[in-house]
Amino acid sequence: MSNISLSVIIPSYKDPLLIKTIDSLLANSELGGQLEIIAVLDGYWPDVPMIIDDRVRYVHLGGNHGMKEAINAGVAVSRGEFIMRTDEHCAFGKGYDRILTKDCEPN
């Protein structure tokens, strides 16, 4: 079984705030290495430098396939016990990941 507790899926299509969202997820995490962020790039590469961090993975779909397929592609490669989907222009409070997972139960 994976030691990843939470996989965060971010479907993205040319949103300039994707990197700030990833920064917010990383900066406010209390799970450390138990967090996995999967940014699904739906047919584009960001114009800004991408974040290099062991907790961040990028999936590139090659062409624009739409939000549903982007989400499904992220879920298909996720390793977390729990999955969270977020938009590419969000900010998070301290400990958001611990708060979301502490009371979750299987199924």
Side-chain angles (χ1 to χ4, degrees), residues 28-106:
N28 292 299
S29 172
E30 291 181 354
L31 291 179
Q34 293 181 311
L35 173 70
E36 168 185 62
I37 299 168
I38 302 169
V40 182
L41 307 174
D42 193 9
Y44 82 105
W45 288 106
D47 292 333
V48 296
M50 299 193 318
I51 295 171
I52 305 302
D53 186 293
D54 289 342
R55 298 169 290 172
V56 180
R57 298 166 60 198
Y58 298 94
V59 174
H60 190 276
L61 296 185
N64 181 252
H65 294 278
M67 186 180 297
K68 183 177 178 182
E69 284 195 39
I71 293 167
N72 289 340
V75 170
V77 299
S78 68
R79 299 172 292 176
E81 180 179 2
F82 302 108
I83 297 174
M84 172 183 145
R85 179 253 190 236
T86 189
D87 289 326
E88 56 202 342
H89 49 262
C90 294
F92 298 86
K94 194 71 174 165
Y96 70 92
D97 48 359
R98 177 96 42 219
I99 292 165
L100 289 171
T101 59
K102 75 176 183 171
D103 293 327
C104 290
E105 297 179 8

